[in-house]
């Protein structure tokens, strides 16, 4: 049986006789006056902007009236189509030229570097105009097995696809290259030790792990593609902006139709941003032990907590 040792009280911890115990400590929050001042300034600017637009010569009733006009809806569909096809072309070219850039063959790596340098260094608008006016220097397209006039081959859609897709491919090549280089080299060495070829290693081991790094910037690139697609007006392709301009030319509601186009661009980017968010969560499952809750899960948790408090009360 062990003896319990009594702790010897420290004289410094013993309050003097007749001393009054201190009051409970009250935590006083720090006053952030700068936040209140900045909030008031921002609200004042927003109110002033709203008042200015309300007094402007804008026919606001035209905006909801033309929002679902058949011409506008057709332009929205074409904008989504050219954005998706251009992004797919850019992704395919990006993977191809990223692998070529990382190749030990000096010829393929140099060609990939030149492609990225050329299409990243020239504006998209200029590239669109070059493709659309290619008939000025090549009136006839002669491939040996196919021959036709360039004006018949280079349609507005094809010019828009090549202008946007080739430019996007240069940016995607750098994104894919960064994703591939983020995978540890030991993964490649282990795959080769198991007898996999370079193609099998890239397709089955490297690229699936690199997707965690590739997906977030690729989503941003697609959101940017939706907005950049408005430049295809230069090649006579019928998109959302072209539809808004056509209606504005006959109704003389120029600013109102620009507002309609802006609303649709905001809606499209918002919808695809939600898709990007859940796609990123899917590819982050192997990197995080527990995924952060989604906004919907946070709302459900708040409602559940509120209902539980109400039941207890």
């Amino acid at each position: 049986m062990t003896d319990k040792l009594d702790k010897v009280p420290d004289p410094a911890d013993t309050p003097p006789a007749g001393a009054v115990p201190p009051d409970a400590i009250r935590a006083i929050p720090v006053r952030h006056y700068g936040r209140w001042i900045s909030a008031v300034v921002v609200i004042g600017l927003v109110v002033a902007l709203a008042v200015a637009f309300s007094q402007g010569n804008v026919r606001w009733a035209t905006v909801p009236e033309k929002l679902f006009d058949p011409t506008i809806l057709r332009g929205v569909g074409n904008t989504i189509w050219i954005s998706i096809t251009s992004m797919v072309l850019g992704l395919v070219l990006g993977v191809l030229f990223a692998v070529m850039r990382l190749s030990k063959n000096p010829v393929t790596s140099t060609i990939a570097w030149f492609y990225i340098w050329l299409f990243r260094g020239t504006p998209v608008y200029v590239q669109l105009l070059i493709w659309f006016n290619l008939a000025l220097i090549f009136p006839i397209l002669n491939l040996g097995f196919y021959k036709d006039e360039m004006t018949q081959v280079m349609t507005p859609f094809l010019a828009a696809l090549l202008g946007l897709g080739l430019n996007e491919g240069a940016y995607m090549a750098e994104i894919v290259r960064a994703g591939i280089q983020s995978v540890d080299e030991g993964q490649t060495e282990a795959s080769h030790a198991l007898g996999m070829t370079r193609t099998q290693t890239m397709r089955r081991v490297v690229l699936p792990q690199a997707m965690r790094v590739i997906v977030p910037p690729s989503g941003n690139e697609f959101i940017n593609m939706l907005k950049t697609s408005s430049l295809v007006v230069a090649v006579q392709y019928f998109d959302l902006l072209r539809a808004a301009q056509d209606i504005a030319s006959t109704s003389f509601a120029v600013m109102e139709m620009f507002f309609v186009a802006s609303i649709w661009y905001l809606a499209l980017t918002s919808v695809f941003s939600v898709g990007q968010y859940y796609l990123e969560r899917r590819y982050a499952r192997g990197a995080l032990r527990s995924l952060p809750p989604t906004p919907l899960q946070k709302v459900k948790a708040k409602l559940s907590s509120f209902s539980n408090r109400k039941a207890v009360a």
Side-chain angles (χ1 to χ4, degrees), residues 285-299:
R285 288 182 301 180
L288 302 176
R289 293 182 180 272
S290 59
L291 295 176
T294 63
L296 184 59
Q297 291 173 343
K298 292 180 180 179
V299 172

Side-chain angles (χ1 to χ4, degrees), residues 205-287:
V205 178
V206 177
L207 283 179
Q209 297 183 64
M211 289 300 291
R212 181 174 56 86
V213 179
I214 296 173
V215 167
S218 299
N220 292 332
E221 285 296 314
F222 181 72
I223 299 300
N224 185 61
M225 176 69 73
L226 281 169
K227 299 179 294 182
T228 308
S229 64
S230 61
L231 295 176
V232 298
V233 175
V235 297
Q236 307 301 317
Y237 182 71
F238 189 84
D239 70 326
L240 174 57
L241 182 58
R242 176 68 181 275
Q245 289 179 336
D246 287 351
I247 297 177
S249 63
T250 56
S251 63
F252 301 102
V254 178
M255 291 300 297
E256 290 82 359
M257 295 313 302
F258 286 155
F259 291 153
V260 169
S262 300
I263 291 172
W264 271 110
Y265 280 120
L266 286 172
L268 292 176
T269 54
S270 300
V271 169
F272 284 104
S273 295
V274 173
Q276 175 193 356
Y277 172 78
Y278 283 100
L279 189 61
E280 290 180 10
R281 283 178 58 86
R282 175 178 176 81
Y283 284 101
R285 288 182 301 180

Side-chain angles (χ1 to χ4, degrees), residues 28 45 70 78 95 145 151 157 167 169-170 180-181 193 202 220 252:
I28 301 176
L45 292 175
N78 287 347
V95 174
F145 59 89
T151 54
F157 173 77
N167 180 80
I180 293 174
Q181 291 179 330
M202 183 63 64
N220 292 332
F252 301 102

